[in-house]
Amino acid sequence: MPQATTTLLHALLLTALFACSTHASAASYLVKHCAELEGTEVPASVISLPTRGATILSASVVAAAAPKNRNGEYCRLVGVIKAQLDTTPDIRFEVNLPARWNGRALQMGGGGYNGVIVSGTEPTAFAPAASPLSTGYATFGSDSGHVGNSGRADFAMNDEAVINFGYGHLKKTHDVALALIIMGYGRKPEQTYFAGGSTGGREAFTVIERYPDDYDGVIANAPAINFSGVRLMGVKVGQAAYGTPGGFVGPAQQKRVFETVLQECDGLDGVVDGIVSNVEACREHEPQIVAQLRCANGQRPSLRDSCLSEAQLATLEILRDGFTLPYELAFGVTRYYGYNVFQGVDYSSGLGLGNSPVATQPLRFDANGYLFTQGDSYMKFFVTHDLRFNTLGFDVDQPGIYKSRLIDLSATVGAMNPDISEFIAHGGKLITMHGLADEVISPNQTIAFYHSLVEKYGQSIVDSFMRLYMVPGFQHGNGVFIPAWDELGALDRWVTMNIAPETLIGTDIASATNGRSRPLCRYPGFPKYLGKGNVNNAASFRCENP
């Protein structure tokens, strides 16, 4: 049986016996001795941020033939990184060391408020079916330092847990995982990557900004950057919907908006396929779209008539426009950019605007919409620590005693620092993908951050390390077009072979249109139909700038 007192130093002495051996013999040794790592303690001195060290709670070999295992044989390590305070939850993590290691490591980001261990055994989001672990990557992830992903954000009552959620768990998990990889294989990875979407996309930008030398390449999909901004956006939407008489936009109106936009803009890319691809051209049609939606001659919307009142249109315009603050958040941020409300977002599906004209107690995603529910939770748990706080009465522009807290949180969780010069100097590469129809995280915020990098470094420098792909029809994990593509393979080729990705191919995994393909165009391009050929084949399209 393994001894709980086994230390990292002792484990490293074990690996020294084969540190200079072949990959095959090192992997063979790893599999044979995997269980001996149980109880191993990683001292706090190995972890760059303050902790009380880490412990491997379980270590076991997962056989290639094990039920439901599609990853080949690997050593599975599960443990905890101990918080500084007894009142703070530990960070739970998992590290997977494959028997057939390709010499690379991949840290995988979480989603929502995290709260569950990212196992590292599944494919990355929107990737082909094969997982990175099955192709030889050592993978690792964590729960970000708390248990539960209810959307209530209870953990945010604890300041150390907020720091862990914002950035601490990323570095702490990385450092422990790196020590375990060295322990397992006798050497460091040749390349270390990070991949995540939504919260994981924010985490991806966070590691670039805070720990640039730790990663050779990063994937950041639908990144929830400007975290305070998107939560305050939810507050403003909720106030428009529930603090203004008649401001709630019901499911019938939500559906009508999407259908009207499709009728007006679907064919602007040369083909009617259910996707608004030429978003910029669609913006020019917005006056006609709004005119078709507006109730005529004082008519009031009803269950039978899905026209929109002036109050309802005002709610959508807040979503469209975003907001500008009269004060600065961290890194000089004053604005959150709005959504493509009248350019193809379907708020009647997935994480929309809700189905209840009354603000329920407590708020719920289905009843009151994702944005407002999360904005309310943010104010109660992150900002005020007051579960009775009246979010509908909060003045975003004049936050009073909560101003400094909003600013501090935007630095802790926001990932909006445009100074990524160290990542550039290190030779790091970044691929970002975002859906133009995202209803949760504004794609225009991602575009704006991209433009801030171009303004700071110049287009040629940004092109040397970053690729941005804005995908028409793709929402926040759903939509009329959901791309599956080999993003990790594109990143790895860029890092290891200097083959920079250009136009890529995405295969639709939406149930109604599964299997059709489209070009994934570098921003600002969009896929335009050539006028002939199979409309379900990417070869029938070319990338064209608006």
Side-chain angles (χ1 to χ4, degrees), residues 434-489:
H434 205 149
L436 284 164
D438 197 324
E439 77 278 35
V440 172
I441 306 299
S442 173
N444 297 311
Q445 178 64 72
T446 298
I447 291 171
F449 192 75
Y450 170 82
H451 283 304
S452 74
L453 296 178
V454 172
E455 182 178 354
K456 183 176 181 65
Y457 298 105
Q459 189 67 59
S460 62
I461 295 295
V462 172
D463 287 346
S464 73
F465 77 89
M466 182 177 184
R467 289 291 183 269
L468 175 60
Y469 296 89
M470 304 302 298
V471 182
F474 180 47
Q475 298 203 188
H476 202 75
N478 63 346
V480 294
F481 182 82
I482 306 174
W485 57 309
D486 186 13
E487 199 170 7
L488 181 59

Side-chain angles (χ1 to χ4, degrees), residues 475-517:
Q475 298 203 188
H476 202 75
N478 63 346
V480 294
F481 182 82
I482 306 174
W485 57 309
D486 186 13
E487 199 170 7
L488 181 59
L491 180 70
D492 185 56
R493 288 187 292 274
W494 197 5
V495 170
T496 62
M497 295 183 281
N498 200 30
I499 300 175
E502 296 297 334
T503 300
L504 300 172
I505 303 297
T507 300
D508 195 356
I509 57 174
S511 58
T513 48
N514 190 282
R516 67 176 172 177
S517 60

Side-chain angles (χ1 to χ4, degrees), residues 246 248-250 252-254 256-257 260 287-314 316-317 342:
F248 174 73
V249 182
Q253 287 88 0
Q254 296 170 32
R256 179 170 175 179
V257 171
T260 302
Q288 300 96 289
I289 293 169
V290 172
Q292 294 178 57
L293 295 171
R294 179 178 281 114
C295 292
N297 302 321
Q299 175 189 0
R300 298 181 64 183
S302 67
L303 293 176
R304 291 176 304 221
D305 192 323
S306 55
C307 71
L308 276 74
S309 68
E310 294 301 325
Q312 291 173 323
L313 287 172
L316 296 183
E317 287 166 359
F342 301 112

